[in-house]
Amino acid sequence: MSQPTIEFPNYKLQNKVALVTGSARGLGKACALALAHAGADIALGLRKSDTAVDLENEIRNMGRSVIRVQMDVSEVKEIESAVKTVIDHFGRIDILINNVGVAPANPAEKVTEADYDLTMNLNVKAMFFTSQAVAKHMIRQKSGRIVNMSSQAGSIALDDESVYCMSKAAVNHMTKTLASEWAKYNIQVNAVAPTFIETPGTEPWLKNPEFKQSVLDRIPLGKIGKPMEVAGVVVFLASEAASLITGEIVMIDGGWTLK
């Protein structure tokens, strides 16, 4: 009697199209490169479409198709226009990486309405309407993967980060509600929640030896994360290897939130 064929996990993304917002640098850039390395064609969603030329060339040199798209996610009309551009070019979007976000530090008693609106609009409102615009096409395809960039801050309290923390808590619950609502269309929605990662945005903080040590003291694994350590989980969630996962918030925090 012949043995049943074993179906091993498939992490490859050939013939998939991924849209990555905020892809010019940091985690967005790492995600775009990692997805391309796994075989996906890439749409770079950029606040200014004349940037990230080097990244575009790097992805093209991998043998992938890539376009740069004007996509200031603070403007809903620009989100819709960008998604249309990607669909017109590639014919589909299989993967959305909602990466755009801000994390301005400010004591709660000093937060202004403008401060609040900036953080909530970019971290929550923009993510919702980007997901909505892309999901309309994924619903017609009857398939799709959405990965939201959350943070450990959505699960713990960080001093001087009250609005950022609440915005990421909102991202976590948005992830779950969209996963529930769109599961019937075979759309999986998950989030990754990193700790402090070495990016241009965190560089000024991590240059301070005392601050860096205070972070390391909170991380059981005893190291600051690298962008590709986040991108690796993003690729997994975008792949068929994660075909039974939706509505999850994956902590990438070296163990910070264990305690």
Side-chain angles (χ1 to χ4, degrees), residues 139-158:
I139 287 169
R140 288 196 287 270
Q141 295 169 183
K142 296 293 190 291
S143 67
R145 303 291 174 90
I146 297 174
V147 182
N148 297 326
M149 192 63 67
S150 184
S151 166
Q152 65 180 16
S155 301
I156 59 174
L158 297 176

Side-chain angles (χ1 to χ4, degrees), residues 18-21 31 35 95-100 145 147 149 234 238:
L19 168 60
V20 184
T21 70
C31 289
L35 290 162
I95 301 160
L96 168 64
I97 311 302
N98 274 314
N99 172 67
V100 171
R145 303 291 174 90
V147 182
M149 192 63 67
V234 169

Side-chain angles (χ1 to χ4, degrees), residues 106 110-117:
N106 204 2
K110 295 184 179 180
V111 171
T112 66
E113 183 178 8
D115 296 333
Y116 181 95
D117 287 345

Side-chain angles (χ1 to χ4, degrees), residues 94 96-98 127-128 131-132 134-135 138-139 143-149 170-192 237-238 242-250:
D94 301 289
L96 168 64
I97 311 302
N98 274 314
M127 185 178 291
F128 177 84
S131 298
Q132 180 194 70
V134 172
M138 290 179 169
I139 287 169
S143 67
R145 303 291 174 90
I146 297 174
V147 182
N148 297 326
M149 192 63 67
V171 166
N172 291 351
H173 208 61
M174 183 198 312
T175 298
K176 293 177 179 295
T177 55
L178 296 183
S180 177
E181 190 165 344
W182 292 337
K184 60 189 175 185
Y185 303 115
N186 193 32
I187 299 171
Q188 294 165 238
V189 187
N190 293 290
V192 294
L237 292 172
S243 60
L244 200 60
I245 300 175
T246 197
E248 291 298 321
I249 316 302
V250 182

Side-chain angles (χ1 to χ4, degrees), residues 42 75 100 117 157 193 199:
I42 306 295
E75 301 289 339
V100 171
D117 287 345
T199 68

